[in-house]
Amino acid sequence: MCMPKAPFGMSTFNHLYEADNTPWVIDTAQPVLIELAEQEKVVGDVLDLGCGTGDNSIMLAQRGHHVWGIDNSDTALSIARKKQAEQKVTDVTFIKGCAMDIVHFGEGFHTVIDSGFFHFLSDEEREQYLIGMRHVMFPHSRLFLLVLSDQEKNFTGPRALKRSVIRQLFSADNGFKVKNIEPTRYLLRDHPKGVKAWIATIVRQSSETTDSPS
């Protein structure tokens, strides 16, 4: 089972979940996110973008965070809510919505988690994503961005990113500061040892260029 290529419409995700063509669903939180939580680098209220079947959201809620998980797939959210009920986790709210439309959120978050969503986006969608991030993040809030790395040569997937591209996109001109970008592994169903990835820590800057929804 290979990763679907990007860019593609956000509605495609629901079809992938219905067809069980979702290699990123591993029924546990990504190890690098567990490590960040254990190191207490995840703080405050959390937004989990493209939460899928909810494993990262549930893990963070179990560690005392109030979590909102957003996904556009009814199938994924149904699985996430079932897991939530089975594990008796109350401090997570799963909501249906396109992660590209978070500019309409009335909430702000201290931490945003993106586990394998950003690398699916087209150039146009990346710009929309940045606008949304500026809307939902407070000054000094952090985004933990887990994306496929261009250093992986034995795996074909979505738009693997270079470090330089991450730094360019999340620049001071766009209202962010990249604190660090570290190599890690992104676990997949058919790659249980993971493929090469980056985990970027990105801080929201105080900026006069913040976009407001019209």
Side-chain angles (χ1 to χ4, degrees), residues 10 49 70 97-104 117-118 121-122 124-132:
M10 293 298 103
L49 281 178
I70 181 171
C98 179
M100 302 306 301
D101 292 334
I102 57 173
V103 70
H104 301 297
F117 176 73
F118 186 78
L121 303 183
S122 66
E124 181 180 353
E125 288 167 338
R126 286 176 175 179
E127 292 302 317
Q128 188 178 351
Y129 180 102
L130 293 173
I131 294 172

Side-chain angles (χ1 to χ4, degrees), residues 35-126:
E35 183 178 352
L36 288 170
E38 289 177 344
Q39 294 172 350
E40 298 186 350
K41 293 183 178 180
V42 177
V43 299
D45 294 342
V46 180
L47 174 63
D48 184 5
L49 281 178
C51 65
T53 58
D55 296 296
N56 295 318
S57 294
I58 290 170
M59 178 272 294
L60 293 170
Q62 289 172 330
R63 284 164 169 77
H65 299 281
H66 179 66
V67 184
W68 282 34
I70 181 171
D71 204 283
N72 203 37
S73 167
D74 289 315
T75 302
L77 291 173
S78 177
I79 296 170
R81 289 169 181 143
K82 181 179 179 181
K83 289 180 180 180
Q84 177 186 10
E86 290 173 345
Q87 298 183 49
K88 300 180 180 179
V89 178
T90 59
D91 211 9
V92 57
T93 303
F94 291 113
I95 57 173
K96 183 179 180 181
C98 179
M100 302 306 301
D101 292 334
I102 57 173
V103 70
H104 301 297
F105 267 36
E107 299 286 336
F109 298 88
H110 304 94
T111 303
V112 180
I113 300 293
D114 181 332
S115 177
F117 176 73
F118 186 78
H119 55 217
F120 281 104
L121 303 183
S122 66
D123 288 346
E124 181 180 353
E125 288 167 338
R126 286 176 175 179

Side-chain angles (χ1 to χ4, degrees), residues 24-31 34 53-56 59 83 115 187:
W24 57 85
V25 175
I26 58 173
D27 294 324
T28 186
Q30 286 288 332
I34 296 174
T53 58
D55 296 296
N56 295 318
M59 178 272 294
K83 289 180 180 180
S115 177
L187 271 60

Side-chain angles (χ1 to χ4, degrees), residues 7 20 52 57 93 99 104 113 131 133 136 138 149 158 187 191 198 204 207:
D20 195 28
S57 294
T93 303
H104 301 297
I113 300 293
I131 294 172
M133 286 295 99
V136 299
F138 305 118
S149 167
L187 271 60
H191 295 77
W198 303 118
R204 176 74 171 96
S207 173

